[in-house]
């Protein structure tokens, strides 16, 4: 039997999101075996509001995008993970449950002749253009006054469904990791690791820290690339 999802005090500090989340670590509701019984499990991240200089910037609103998931027991990355999720969902974060809504509009950036049919959009944008493909979600204000705005440290990790047991571990969130990649990022910071498909192998989600903007890598235990996008520069 797989142990329940773990959240640590250091994870809450590393993934603090102001009033959008609670102030104390919590344990996800038990749904043990979801990842091994064919249940879909999706890991999402909110990189940081205002991180991009392009038109997907949402003025401080939490924008989640899927990075890795288990679909029918198979490891999948990127936008297809969101296709398994409902338009309106609840995810689990280090601070507790959070309601999110799929972005329903398409995306057009005439500067770079970039367009995406809804609900797809770019993973990130910078002043050189937009890249990647994702289906994004924005956090919903529980008081109904609009999408949740945040001030504070990100990235923030989330799991859907909130009771799924993906053995997500963010105990060492923020620790530096070494990846064999082209030069550029100032550091690679671990966001968390998870046994998404329940096979004993842990996928690691890594945040690329650049002087401008950011990047994300999902790698296997040996550091092999499973998924990545980067809008970092200098």
């Amino acid at each position: 039997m797989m142990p329940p999802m773990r959240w640590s005090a250091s994870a809450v500090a590393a993934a603090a999101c102001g009033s959008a989340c609670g102030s104390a670590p919590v344990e996800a509701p038990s749904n043990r075996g979801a990842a091994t019984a064919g249940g879909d499990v999706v890991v999402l991240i909110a990189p940081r509001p205002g991180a991009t200089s392009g038109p997907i910037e949402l003025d401080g609103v939490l924008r989640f995008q899927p990075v890795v998931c288990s679909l029918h027991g198979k490891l999948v990355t990127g936008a297809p993970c969101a296709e398994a999720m409902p338009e309106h969902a609840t995810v689990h974060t280090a601070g507790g449950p959070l309601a999110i809504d799929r972005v329903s509009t398409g995306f057009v950036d005439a500067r770079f002749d970039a367009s995406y049919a809804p609900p797809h959009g770019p993973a990130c944008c910078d002043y050189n253009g937009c890249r990647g493909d994702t289906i994004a979600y924005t956090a919903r204000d529980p008081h109904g006054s609009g999408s949740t705005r945040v001030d504070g440290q990100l990235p923030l990790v989330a799991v859907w469904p909130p009771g799924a047991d993906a053995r997500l571990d963010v105990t060492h969130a923020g620790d530096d990791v070494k990846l064999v990649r082209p030069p550029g990022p100032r550091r690679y910071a671990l966001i968390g690791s998870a046994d998404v498909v329940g096979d004993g192998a842990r996928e690691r989600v890594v945040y690329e820290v650049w002087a401008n903007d950011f990047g994300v890598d999902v790698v296997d235990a040996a550091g092999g690339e499973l998924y990545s996008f980067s809008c970092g520069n200098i």
Side-chain angles (χ1 to χ4, degrees):
M1 181 177 294
M2 298 170 66
M5 190 183 303
R6 298 185 299 274
W7 302 98
S8 69
S10 62
V12 174
C17 57
S19 61
C21 296
S23 59
V26 296
E27 182 178 287
S30 178
N31 186 17
R32 300 178 185 179
T36 58
D40 297 337
V41 177
V42 181
V43 177
L44 309 94
I45 65 163
R48 55 177 173 153
T52 66
S53 55
I56 63 171
E57 182 173 319
L58 293 172
D59 190 28
V61 173
L62 272 176
R63 178 181 184 271
F64 286 90
Q65 56 195 84
V67 291
V68 64
C69 64
S70 171
L71 300 183
H72 306 293
K74 295 183 178 181
L75 185 70
V76 180
T77 60
C81 296
E83 294 173 353
M85 298 175 57
E87 293 183 14
H88 309 285
T90 298
V91 294
H92 195 84
T93 74
L98 187 65
I100 60 175
D101 301 304
R102 182 180 293 172
V103 175
S104 59
T105 57
F107 175 86
V108 176
D109 184 356
R111 296 177 304 163
F112 302 105
D113 192 27
S115 63
Y116 294 75
H120 290 259
C124 61
C125 295
D126 62 18
Y127 57 76
N128 290 316
C130 298
R131 63 212 67 173
D133 176 45
T134 194
I135 297 176
Y137 285 76
T138 55
R140 190 189 321 150
D141 185 342
H143 302 294
S145 59
S147 294
T148 305
R149 294 175 55 86
V150 295
D151 297 302
Q153 298 80 19
L154 292 175
L156 178 67
V157 184
V159 174
W160 176 88
D165 184 0
R167 298 186 66 192
L168 182 66
D169 190 350
V170 287
T171 303
H172 304 291
D175 286 359
D176 286 355
V177 295
K178 293 183 179 180
L179 298 182
V180 180
R181 298 287 186 276
R186 300 198 168 189
R187 58 185 286 247
Y188 294 97
L190 180 68
I191 300 176
S193 64
D195 180 5
V196 178
V197 295
D199 61 358
R202 301 191 67 81
E203 294 74 42
R204 294 184 294 165
V205 184
V206 179
Y207 187 77
E208 298 180 3
V209 180
W210 293 71
N212 291 329
D213 301 307
F214 67 97
V216 173
D217 298 271
V218 179
V219 299
D220 59 24
E225 182 178 301
L226 300 173
Y227 172 76
S228 70
F229 65 85
S230 181
C231 282
N233 58 89
I234 69 173

